[in-house]
Amino acid sequence: MDLDQPTVLLSGDVRIPLLGFGTWQITGTAAYETVLAALDAGYRHVDTATMYGNEAEIGRAVAESGLRREDVFITTKLPPDRVGREQETIEASLRALGTDHVDLWLVHAPPSNPADSIPVWREMLAARDEGLARTVGVSNFSTAQIDELIQATEETPAVNQIRWSPALYDRQRHRDHRDRGVVLEGYSPFKTSDLSDPVLVRIAAAHDVSPAQVVLRWHVDHEIVAIPKSVTPERIRTNADIFTFSLTAEEMRDIDALGGA
């Protein structure tokens, strides 16, 4: 079932679906089955990482989904402890995923030695230029850390994947990303949300949807990529069903205010 899903443009003329499927802590058969269920429910963007230990299962699910490789956006990530082994790491990821490229490769977290950040970023760019990743970015980086990469290389990370939710909404941080042309991608959208918050409950009732669906739609309407995670088929389907409604400007402001920033 192909959904007409909204995307946002990344550097390198790459479009990323604003709704993705997170796979942290899902391994083995569960990873294969949940990703297959997610693709069947309409997700076209799967987020993994070397350190998740599930790339092979995800690759198998994509291969057996009946979808064309180019119709599924795949992200993986370089662990912080792989400094100096970037090429070896991306090649291992590609073998596990059963593909000759990923759509997005991220530095999973800033290296423990700050002096390593720029060399690692240069290796990411080299992998992109080799065609191993269509575009590259970072995860868990501060604005200052992103600026350091841009100043050193004149290359802006396509994405910064950080913990994000209405309760964590930070208007300035959101603006900082937009000003630099970095797409903000939020992980753990529910873990840091109070889904019984009266604001979310009221807005959900107005649209006849769940508070969780409101949280995801809020991301999408802000052009922030959301990567919810679930292993429950029914919840996987519900989380994908957020394109039949949109939030009003007033509702967006009310949800933004939950962050208090």
Side-chain angles (χ1 to χ4, degrees):
M1 176 178 66
D2 266 331
L3 297 178
D4 183 18
Q5 290 187 16
T7 59
V8 65
L9 188 64
L10 304 179
S11 55
D13 205 28
V14 174
R15 288 204 161 270
I16 184 171
L18 281 163
L19 179 68
F21 186 72
T23 65
W24 181 52
Q25 293 182 322
I26 311 176
T27 56
T29 304
Y32 166 74
E33 290 175 349
T34 55
V35 170
L36 209 51
L39 294 171
D40 186 58
Y43 289 86
R44 293 296 177 264
H45 168 191
V46 181
D47 180 272
T48 184
T50 292
M51 68 191 314
Y52 296 173
N54 60 16
E55 289 171 315
E57 290 80 8
I58 287 169
R60 187 158 69 92
V62 172
E64 295 180 13
S65 67
L67 296 167
R68 298 179 306 170
R69 168 66 186 90
E70 59 265 35
D71 292 336
V72 182
F73 189 101
I74 300 175
T75 300
T76 195
K77 310 182 193 80
L78 174 84
D81 62 358
R82 294 293 182 96
V83 172
R85 295 159 61 199
E86 296 84 1
Q87 178 91 12
E88 170 194 333
T89 303
I90 186 67
E91 287 175 355
S93 286
L94 296 177
R95 279 195 303 276
L97 288 162
T99 183
D100 63 359
H101 72 279
V102 288
D103 299 281
L104 177 63
W105 193 33
L106 304 178
V107 183
H108 205 147
S112 51
N113 180 356
D116 288 331
S117 284
I118 291 164
V120 166
W121 182 234
R122 290 191 193 282
E123 289 297 323
M124 302 291 285
L125 296 169
R128 178 202 64 188
D129 292 346
E130 274 186 59
L132 304 179
R134 291 172 68 211
T135 194
V136 290
V138 296
S139 180
N140 300 302
F141 273 57
S142 67
T143 300
Q145 288 167 326
I146 289 171
D147 284 343
E148 184 188 8
L149 301 183
I150 297 170
Q151 285 156 12
T153 64
E154 297 186 350
E155 291 266 18
T156 302
V159 164
N160 186 24
Q161 187 183 115
I162 57 176
R163 186 181 286 260
W164 198 256
S165 70
L168 298 178
Y169 185 65
D170 180 334
R171 190 179 308 278
Q172 185 59 50
R173 197 162 191 206
H174 188 196
R175 187 180 297 128
D176 287 346
H177 283 78
R178 277 203 312 264
D179 289 348
R180 288 158 179 76
V182 179
V183 169
L184 200 160
E185 181 170 14
Y187 66 80
S188 299
F190 304 138
K191 195 169 280 190
T192 53
S193 291
D194 175 6
L195 295 177
S196 64
D197 185 285
V199 171
L200 297 178
V201 170
R202 167 175 58 80
I203 293 170
H207 294 281
D208 195 24
V209 296
S210 70
Q213 287 170 303
V214 168
V215 167
L216 296 177
R217 186 71 221 196
W218 171 81
H219 282 73
V220 167
D221 285 350
H222 266 315
E223 294 202 322
I224 292 170
V225 180
I227 46 171
K229 183 196 87 173
S230 178
V231 294
T232 312
E234 180 54 38
R235 200 165 296 141
I236 289 170
R237 282 193 295 275
T238 303
N239 288 346
D241 186 19
I242 59 168
F243 303 113
T244 56
F245 72 102
S246 59
L247 302 172
T248 67
E250 184 181 6
E251 288 168 341
M252 290 292 286
R253 284 195 295 272
D254 289 347
I255 298 170
D256 290 354
L258 297 176

